[in-house]
Amino acid sequence: MTCYNKNLANCEFKRLKDRVTTLNFHDYIDKVLKEKNYVICEPEDNIEKDKYFKIELPTLAYDYYSELEESEKFDSIILDEGQDFRDEWIMCLENMVKKDGEFYIFADPNQNLFDCDIENIKRIDHSPLKLTRNLRNSEEINSWMKMIKPNINIKSLIRGGMGVEYFPWKTTEEEKKMVADEIGRLISQGINPKRITILSPHKQGKSSLAGMDKINNRRIESVGTESKGGIKFETIRAFKGLESDVVFINF
Protein backbone atom coordinates (compact mmCIF):
# COMPACT_ATOMS: atom_id res chain seq x y z
CA MET A 1 0.00 0.00 0.00
CA THR A 2 1.55 3.27 -1.08
CA CYS A 3 0.98 6.98 -1.62
CA TYR A 4 2.96 10.19 -2.19
CA ASN A 5 2.55 11.73 1.26
CA LYS A 6 5.18 10.52 3.74
CA ASN A 7 3.10 11.49 6.76
CA LEU A 8 0.15 9.46 5.52
CA ALA A 9 2.33 6.40 4.97
CA ASN A 10 4.11 6.77 8.30
CA CYS A 11 1.13 7.61 10.50
CA GLU A 12 -1.75 5.65 8.98
CA PHE A 13 -0.50 2.80 6.80
CA LYS A 14 1.66 1.34 9.58
CA ARG A 15 -1.50 0.38 11.40
CA LEU A 16 -1.85 -2.41 8.86
CA LYS A 17 -0.58 -5.94 9.40
CA ASP A 18 3.09 -6.78 9.06
CA ARG A 19 2.55 -8.74 5.85
CA VAL A 20 1.60 -5.54 4.02
CA THR A 21 4.40 -3.32 2.69
CA THR A 22 3.53 0.24 3.71
CA LEU A 23 5.86 2.97 2.51
CA ASN A 24 5.42 6.08 0.46
CA PHE A 25 6.35 5.59 -3.20
CA HIS A 26 9.74 7.30 -3.27
CA ASP A 27 10.91 5.86 0.06
CA TYR A 28 10.06 2.37 -1.15
CA ILE A 29 11.83 2.49 -4.51
CA ASP A 30 14.83 4.22 -2.90
CA LYS A 31 15.01 1.42 -0.31
CA VAL A 32 14.74 -1.38 -2.90
CA LEU A 33 17.33 0.08 -5.27
CA LYS A 34 19.84 0.63 -2.45
CA GLU A 35 19.32 -2.97 -1.28
CA LYS A 36 20.12 -4.09 -4.84
CA ASN A 37 23.35 -2.03 -4.80
CA TYR A 38 22.21 0.65 -7.21
CA VAL A 39 24.21 3.85 -6.86
CA ILE A 40 21.65 6.33 -5.48
CA CYS A 41 22.83 9.92 -5.10
CA GLU A 42 20.21 12.50 -4.15
CA PRO A 43 21.34 15.90 -5.53
CA GLU A 44 21.85 18.91 -3.29
CA ASP A 45 20.55 21.42 -5.84
CA ASN A 46 16.76 21.87 -5.53
CA ILE A 47 16.15 21.91 -9.30
CA GLU A 48 18.21 18.75 -9.80
CA LYS A 49 16.58 17.16 -6.75
CA ASP A 50 13.14 17.80 -8.23
CA LYS A 51 14.21 16.14 -11.50
CA TYR A 52 15.72 13.24 -9.57
CA PHE A 53 12.51 12.41 -7.69
CA LYS A 54 10.17 13.10 -10.59
CA ILE A 55 12.06 11.25 -13.32
CA GLU A 56 15.41 9.65 -12.53
CA LEU A 57 14.58 7.55 -9.43
CA PRO A 58 11.24 6.22 -10.82
CA THR A 59 12.96 5.40 -14.12
CA LEU A 60 15.61 3.34 -12.32
CA ALA A 61 12.86 1.50 -10.43
CA TYR A 62 10.91 0.89 -13.67
CA ASP A 63 13.99 -0.61 -15.31
CA TYR A 64 14.73 -2.77 -12.26
CA TYR A 65 11.21 -4.23 -12.11
CA SER A 66 11.21 -4.78 -15.89
CA GLU A 67 13.98 -7.34 -15.40
CA LEU A 68 12.49 -8.93 -12.30
CA GLU A 69 10.89 -12.39 -12.27
CA GLU A 70 7.10 -12.36 -11.97
CA SER A 71 7.29 -14.36 -8.75
CA GLU A 72 9.25 -11.52 -7.10
CA LYS A 73 6.66 -8.84 -7.89
CA PHE A 74 3.67 -7.80 -5.78
CA ASP A 75 0.43 -9.76 -5.77
CA SER A 76 -1.51 -6.55 -5.15
CA ILE A 77 -0.77 -2.84 -5.03
CA ILE A 78 -3.14 -0.26 -3.55
CA LEU A 79 -2.40 3.37 -4.38
CA ASP A 80 -4.07 5.98 -2.18
CA GLU A 81 -4.33 9.66 -3.16
CA GLY A 82 -3.71 8.67 -6.78
CA GLN A 83 -4.29 12.23 -8.00
CA ASP A 84 -0.83 13.08 -6.59
CA PHE A 85 0.91 10.74 -9.02
CA ARG A 86 2.56 11.53 -12.32
CA ASP A 87 1.84 9.14 -15.18
CA GLU A 88 5.44 7.83 -15.11
CA TRP A 89 5.06 6.86 -11.47
CA ILE A 90 1.85 4.98 -12.15
CA MET A 91 3.56 3.13 -15.02
CA CYS A 92 6.32 2.18 -12.58
CA LEU A 93 3.76 0.80 -10.10
CA GLU A 94 2.05 -1.16 -12.88
CA ASN A 95 5.42 -2.74 -13.63
CA MET A 96 5.82 -3.73 -9.98
CA VAL A 97 2.69 -5.89 -9.84
CA LYS A 98 2.35 -9.40 -11.30
CA LYS A 99 0.60 -9.75 -14.65
CA ASP A 100 -2.24 -11.63 -12.96
CA GLY A 101 -2.08 -9.35 -9.90
CA GLU A 102 -4.34 -6.55 -8.73
CA PHE A 103 -3.73 -2.82 -8.92
CA TYR A 104 -6.15 -0.43 -7.21
CA ILE A 105 -6.06 3.36 -7.37
CA PHE A 106 -8.16 5.63 -5.17
CA ALA A 107 -8.15 9.24 -6.36
CA ASP A 108 -10.04 12.50 -5.89
CA PRO A 109 -9.60 15.23 -8.54
CA ASN A 110 -10.81 17.80 -5.99
CA GLN A 111 -7.66 17.13 -3.93
CA ASN A 112 -5.21 17.56 -6.80
CA LEU A 113 -2.79 19.95 -5.08
CA PHE A 114 0.23 19.08 -7.24
CA ASP A 115 -1.37 19.78 -10.65
CA CYS A 116 -0.87 16.23 -11.93
CA ASP A 117 -2.83 15.22 -15.01
CA ILE A 118 -5.45 12.99 -13.41
CA GLU A 119 -6.78 12.10 -16.87
CA ASN A 120 -3.83 9.73 -17.18
CA ILE A 121 -5.34 7.51 -14.50
CA LYS A 122 -8.43 7.02 -16.63
CA ARG A 123 -6.48 5.07 -19.25
CA ILE A 124 -6.50 2.22 -16.72
CA ASP A 125 -9.68 0.14 -16.48
CA HIS A 126 -11.65 1.71 -13.68
CA SER A 127 -14.87 1.26 -11.80
CA PRO A 128 -17.73 3.63 -12.68
CA LEU A 129 -18.74 3.68 -9.01
CA LYS A 130 -18.02 6.79 -6.97
CA LEU A 131 -17.53 7.09 -3.23
CA THR A 132 -20.44 9.27 -2.12
CA ARG A 133 -20.46 8.83 1.67
CA ASN A 134 -18.18 11.07 3.70
CA LEU A 135 -16.97 9.20 6.78
CA ARG A 136 -14.59 11.94 7.87
CA ASN A 137 -16.26 15.36 7.90
CA SER A 138 -19.26 16.46 9.90
CA GLU A 139 -22.55 17.56 8.38
CA GLU A 140 -21.68 21.19 9.22
CA ILE A 141 -18.39 21.04 7.33
CA ASN A 142 -19.99 19.33 4.34
CA SER A 143 -22.60 22.08 4.13
CA TRP A 144 -19.83 24.69 4.21
CA MET A 145 -17.92 22.84 1.45
CA LYS A 146 -20.92 23.07 -0.88
CA MET A 147 -20.39 26.85 -1.05
CA ILE A 148 -16.94 26.14 -2.51
CA LYS A 149 -17.79 23.01 -4.54
CA PRO A 150 -21.54 23.21 -5.23
CA ASN A 151 -21.51 20.25 -7.63
CA ILE A 152 -20.25 17.77 -5.06
CA ASN A 153 -23.09 15.66 -3.69
CA ILE A 154 -21.61 13.89 -0.67
CA LYS A 155 -23.63 12.46 2.20
CA SER A 156 -22.10 12.92 5.62
CA LEU A 157 -22.57 10.14 8.15
CA ILE A 158 -21.53 12.42 11.03
CA ARG A 159 -24.58 14.43 12.00
CA GLY A 160 -24.27 17.92 13.45
CA GLY A 161 -20.78 18.88 14.57
CA MET A 162 -19.00 22.19 15.16
CA GLY A 163 -19.66 24.88 12.59
CA VAL A 164 -16.96 26.59 10.53
CA GLU A 165 -15.90 29.91 12.07
CA TYR A 166 -13.94 32.80 10.55
CA PHE A 167 -11.57 34.98 12.57
CA PRO A 168 -10.43 38.14 10.73
CA TRP A 169 -7.30 39.95 11.89
CA LYS A 170 -5.34 43.07 11.00
CA THR A 171 -1.85 42.25 12.24
CA THR A 172 0.24 39.12 12.68
CA GLU A 173 0.37 39.64 16.44
CA GLU A 174 -3.41 39.88 16.54
CA GLU A 175 -3.70 36.61 14.64
CA LYS A 176 -1.29 34.83 16.99
CA LYS A 177 -3.33 35.98 19.99
CA MET A 178 -6.61 34.89 18.41
CA VAL A 179 -5.24 31.41 17.62
CA ALA A 180 -3.90 31.07 21.17
CA ASP A 181 -7.15 32.29 22.73
CA GLU A 182 -9.32 29.96 20.65
CA ILE A 183 -7.13 26.93 21.30
CA GLY A 184 -7.15 27.78 25.01
CA ARG A 185 -10.95 27.99 24.95
CA LEU A 186 -11.26 24.59 23.28
CA ILE A 187 -8.87 22.92 25.73
CA SER A 188 -10.74 24.46 28.67
CA GLN A 189 -13.89 22.84 27.30
CA GLY A 190 -12.25 19.42 27.42
CA ILE A 191 -10.80 19.10 23.91
CA ASN A 192 -7.59 17.05 24.05
CA PRO A 193 -4.69 19.02 22.49
CA LYS A 194 -3.73 16.04 20.32
CA ARG A 195 -7.09 16.41 18.56
CA ILE A 196 -6.14 19.92 17.37
CA THR A 197 -4.14 20.64 14.21
CA ILE A 198 -3.03 23.96 12.72
CA LEU A 199 -2.64 23.85 8.92
CA SER A 200 -1.03 26.43 6.68
CA PRO A 201 -0.04 26.77 3.02
CA HIS A 202 3.43 27.61 4.40
CA LYS A 203 5.89 25.95 6.72
CA GLN A 204 5.72 27.41 10.20
CA GLY A 205 8.85 29.53 9.74
CA LYS A 206 7.16 31.38 6.88
CA SER A 207 3.65 31.47 8.33
CA SER A 208 2.10 34.05 10.64
CA LEU A 209 3.06 31.79 13.58
CA ALA A 210 6.78 32.11 12.78
CA GLY A 211 8.90 32.43 15.90
CA MET A 212 6.41 30.65 18.16
CA ASP A 213 7.41 27.32 19.68
CA LYS A 214 4.51 27.14 22.14
CA ILE A 215 0.82 28.00 22.37
CA ASN A 216 -0.50 28.33 25.91
CA ASN A 217 2.61 26.51 27.18
CA ARG A 218 1.99 23.60 24.80
CA ARG A 219 4.67 22.85 22.24
CA ILE A 220 3.96 23.32 18.54
CA GLU A 221 5.09 20.08 16.88
CA SER A 222 5.15 18.42 13.47
CA VAL A 223 3.11 15.35 12.59
CA GLY A 224 4.86 12.20 13.76
CA THR A 225 6.86 13.98 16.47
CA GLU A 226 4.02 15.30 18.58
CA SER A 227 3.98 14.62 22.32
CA LYS A 228 0.95 13.91 24.48
CA GLY A 229 0.18 17.57 25.14
CA GLY A 230 1.50 19.17 21.95
CA ILE A 231 -0.35 21.07 19.23
CA LYS A 232 0.28 19.82 15.69
CA PHE A 233 1.34 22.26 12.97
CA GLU A 234 1.74 21.10 9.38
CA THR A 235 1.47 22.33 5.83
CA ILE A 236 -1.75 21.56 4.00
CA ARG A 237 0.16 19.47 1.45
CA ALA A 238 2.00 17.43 4.06
CA PHE A 239 -1.20 16.77 6.03
CA LYS A 240 -3.37 15.74 3.08
CA GLY A 241 -4.89 12.31 3.66
CA LEU A 242 -4.65 12.59 7.44
CA GLU A 243 -7.37 13.78 9.78
CA SER A 244 -7.95 15.75 12.94
CA ASP A 245 -11.03 16.55 15.02
CA VAL A 246 -10.34 20.30 15.14
CA VAL A 247 -8.51 22.12 12.34
CA PHE A 248 -7.27 25.72 12.16
CA ILE A 249 -6.43 27.08 8.71
CA ASN A 250 -3.69 29.62 9.33
CA PHE A 251 -2.20 32.00 6.76
Side-chain angles (χ1 to χ4, degrees), residues 18-189:
D18 293 337
R19 293 180 63 188
V20 179
T21 299
T22 56
L23 281 171
N24 91 305
F25 174 66
H26 290 92
D27 279 351
Y28 175 74
I29 59 178
D30 179 84
K31 173 178 176 289
V32 168
L33 293 173
K34 284 179 178 176
E35 288 175 349
K36 299 303 177 182
N37 297 318
Y38 278 70
V39 178
I40 305 295
C41 298
E42 181 181 332
E44 294 288 338
D45 180 75
N46 287 333
I47 294 177
E48 290 300 315
K49 184 181 293 189
D50 186 61
K51 179 182 176 183
Y52 171 78
F53 282 111
K54 282 183 176 178
I55 301 172
E56 294 175 4
L57 188 63
T59 299
L60 281 175
Y62 181 91
D63 292 343
Y64 167 72
Y65 274 95
S66 294
E67 301 295 327
L68 208 61
E69 295 290 335
E70 284 293 300
S71 60
E72 297 183 66
K73 296 186 179 184
F74 284 102
D75 297 307
S76 302
I77 291 180
I78 299 174
L79 171 59
D80 194 21
E81 304 285 352
Q83 72 281 348
D84 297 343
F85 270 61
R86 297 167 58 87
D87 195 39
E88 298 93 329
W89 304 354
I90 292 175
M91 291 174 63
C92 182
L93 287 171
E94 288 180 298
N95 211 26
M96 291 162 59
V97 69
K98 295 175 181 176
K99 290 181 180 178
D100 61 348
E102 300 166 310
F103 184 29
Y104 296 96
I105 300 176
F106 293 86
D108 182 357
N110 292 303
Q111 297 185 52
N112 187 3
L113 300 185
F114 301 102
D115 296 323
C116 294
D117 188 356
I118 199 169
E119 292 298 316
N120 290 325
I121 295 177
K122 295 181 180 179
R123 66 178 173 77
I124 304 171
D125 290 338
H126 59 279
S127 168
L129 300 177
K130 294 184 178 181
L131 304 179
T132 59
R133 293 190 302 166
N134 189 318
L135 309 179
R136 173 180 289 172
N137 294 332
S138 68
E139 191 174 33
E140 287 281 346
I141 292 176
N142 269 355
S143 297
W144 175 77
M145 280 298 301
K146 285 183 179 180
M147 295 187 297
I148 301 171
K149 292 285 186 179
N151 296 327
I152 296 179
N153 186 22
I154 300 293
K155 297 178 181 178
S156 176
L157 297 189
I158 304 175
R159 300 297 180 188
M162 297 169 61
V164 178
E165 296 185 57
Y166 295 87
F167 297 87
W169 65 88
K170 294 181 180 179
T171 67
T172 299
E173 292 305 313
E174 184 181 353
E175 182 184 7
K176 288 179 179 179
K177 183 178 185 305
M178 292 174 70
V179 170
D181 288 348
E182 188 62 17
I183 287 178
R185 183 184 69 81
L186 292 170
I187 293 174
S188 71
Q189 292 179 352

